[in-house]
Amino acid sequence: MTDLERRYLRLLLAYPAEYRRSRGAEIVGTYLDLATPGRRWPAPADAADLLRGGLRQRVRAAGVIHLVPGVRLAAAVALFTATMLAGVWTVLELRPAPPGFGEPSVGPFVSLGIVAWVGWLLAAAAQALTPGRWHRHAVALAVLLTVALVPAAALTDLPRPPLFVLLPQVGLGLVALGASGERQVSLRVTPLVAAVAGLVAAASLTPESLAWTYRAGTAGQALLNAAVAVLAVAVLLAVGLALRGDHRGGWALLTLFTPVGLLALQPLAGAADGVPAEFNPSWTALAATAAVVGLVGPALLPVALAVRARLARPSTPGATWNTHR
C-alpha cells in the first residue's frame, strides 16, 4: 500500500463505517487513478471533497434532513451580525484620539483594523451583487484579513483592535461561509443593509469622548448587546420553526453557540475573573474563556449528530432484521 493510498483511507474515516466497507475501495481507487504520478499527499481539493462527502453521508445516516438548511440559516444570521459590527467599527476607526491623549494611531485611523472592516463592507456588497460562490470568496477574504491583523500588528508595531473584538468577527465569518449563494435578492441585500445600519448607528450614537478607543466600555457593551440579540433571534427561530415541525432553527441555534460565546467573551471572562461589572478581565481569563468557547461550541453539532444517529438506530434485533429484509 502506498503512502497516498494510506492517506486517502484515513480521510475515508469521515464516512460512516458501513459506507466505507461497501464503497471505500471504489472511492479510493478513483482518486488514485486521477492522482498525478509521484504524488504522496491528497490534493487539498480532494481532501475537502472527501470530508464534505463524509459529512453528507453521516447526516443522511442519522436522518437529519434539516441540518444543512439550519447551517445556512445560521450563516445568514452570522453574516448580518458581522457586517453590522463592521459598520460600527469602521466609524470608530475614522475617529482617532484627539492630540495630546497619547493614543497611538495609523494615520487618520485608530488602528490597522480599518483594513479588515473595509473587507467586511466589501463582502456585504459582494453578497448583494454577486450571487453564487463569489460571496463566499469575499467572506473568506474578510476572515483572512481579520486574522492577519494580529501578525501584521506584531510585525509593524502598529495598533490593532483587541482580541475580544477580532475573535467574534472571525467566529461569525466562519459560520457565514455556510451561506447559500442562490437566494432571493431581498435576502442577499440584507448584509449590506446591516452594514449601512451599523455605520449610521455608530455615527449618530457613539459619544465623541469614547469613540476613539476599542477599550472603552462601550465596545464591550456593544458586543454583549450583539450576543444577546443573536441568541434571542436563534432561540425564537428554533422555537417558532419547531412548532411547525421544522428543525432548521434548532440546528441553527447549535451552530451559533460559538459566535455568541465569542461575542460575549469579555463579560464571560470578567465573570470568571471576578470583575463582571468592569468588563476588564485579565488576559489569562480571556484566553481561558476563548479556549473553552472554541472547544465546547464546535463540539455541540457532532455530539447532537451522534445522539440523533443513536436514537435513529433500531433498538431490537428484530427491528434490525426487518429493516434489511
Side-chain angles (χ1 to χ4, degrees), residues 111-141:
S111 75
L112 293 173
I114 187 64
V115 176
W117 309 140
V118 169
W120 280 103
L121 297 182
L122 292 176
Q127 173 78 4
L129 302 175
T130 57
R133 305 190 170 175
W134 287 105
H135 81 276
R136 288 196 185 92
H137 296 328
V139 172
L141 177 60

Side-chain angles (χ1 to χ4, degrees), residues 70 73 234 237-239 241-242 246-255 257 301:
L73 183 60
L237 285 172
V239 174
L241 291 174
D246 186 342
H247 300 293
R248 286 180 299 161
W251 293 110
L253 177 60
L254 289 174
T255 305
F257 268 138
L301 271 179

Side-chain angles (χ1 to χ4, degrees), residues 4 35-41:
L4 182 60
T36 55
R39 177 178 285 278
R40 298 183 58 192
W41 291 87

